[in-house]
Amino acid sequence: MKQSAVDSNCNAEDFLSEKNKMVFSRKNANARKYLELPFLCDFTSYGSNIVASVSETAADAALWYMERFPSEHCFETPNLYALMEKLHPLGMNVCFMAEYFLPDMNLIRLLECGYEIRILEKGSFSELYRNEWSNALCGKRRELDCLAAGAFDGGKLVGLAGCSADCGSMWQIGVDVLPEYRRRGIASALTSRLVKEILDRGKVPFYCAAWSNLKSVRNAMKCGLKPAWVQMTVKPLSYICAMNETPVGR
């Protein structure tokens, strides 16, 4: 919550209130590195309420939305359509929706997969920035990738989990497994090992998944990671259309 407060330009206690809160977004050098601040409009919930971190342009739409619908329904359709109708004339719309996981210290444990697992320190995976490992490693921010765990079948790398130092206290985990090696417990073995390695280094591991990506969600929960917060981020229509490779306005 302290890190989310930095990201959203609010106080950590704001996430524990029963009442929703709106604040204006600001840049912060200590925010998670991949966040593009200031937000146009971002909704974060730890379960009690919503904190909306917004621009002046989106403030009226965000406030109307939070007052109009119960917070537990603000992250789902059909209510989302009402928000989209408010945002579209402003040249923006809902873009990213994600669930974040943190370790439950009573549940985390090392899992096995039957393959050799090696810990790869920073500098030893510079040749692995390829498409098959694009979740484990991030080519655009490779300077943040600080640790990885690889699963090997003989000398062949068949699975890779990596973590990026996205902020001072928290490292984010991503994982990939070659298609022909999936459903063998490799992802959970790598994730659980990396969770332990991160904790041993005095950092907090966190994990992000789209709500509909059940394979990823199950992997997180199998490793003792539990849902902690959800986040929904608004982007310009031009940004969304570029991602979808569709003309603006369609």
Side-chain angles (χ1 to χ4, degrees), residues 82-155:
L83 176 62
M84 291 175 178
E85 289 179 358
K86 292 283 187 180
L87 293 173
H88 199 273
L90 304 176
M92 58 185 77
N93 217 331
V94 174
C95 184
F96 298 119
M97 301 173 66
E99 185 172 21
Y100 289 86
F101 298 76
L102 292 173
D104 184 326
M105 301 304 290
N106 295 315
L107 296 178
I108 59 172
R109 58 195 176 96
L110 286 178
L111 301 172
E112 302 294 335
C113 64
Y115 294 93
E116 178 190 3
I117 294 180
R118 305 175 193 168
I119 297 302
L120 308 175
E121 301 286 347
K122 189 175 182 67
S124 62
F125 45 79
S126 58
E127 302 300 319
L128 299 180
Y129 286 89
R130 303 192 296 267
N131 287 339
E132 60 264 40
W133 314 123
S134 59
N135 289 311
L137 302 173
C138 180
K140 292 182 179 180
R141 297 184 301 274
R142 63 177 64 196
E143 72 280 1
L144 300 178
D145 291 335
C146 53
L147 188 68
F152 290 84
D153 183 3

Side-chain angles (χ1 to χ4, degrees), residues 182-230:
R182 292 172 186 169
R183 295 183 177 274
R184 302 185 190 184
I186 294 174
S188 56
L190 290 172
T191 302
S192 67
R193 180 65 182 274
L194 206 50
V195 165
K196 181 180 184 302
E197 294 290 335
I198 294 170
L199 289 170
D200 287 347
R201 287 162 171 76
K203 305 295 182 180
V204 177
F206 73 104
Y207 185 103
C208 177
W211 299 329
S212 58
N213 190 347
L214 294 182
K215 290 187 295 184
S216 186
V217 170
R218 288 170 182 150
N219 177 54
M221 299 185 73
K222 186 176 180 180
C223 298
L225 300 166
K226 296 182 67 175
W229 80 96
V230 293

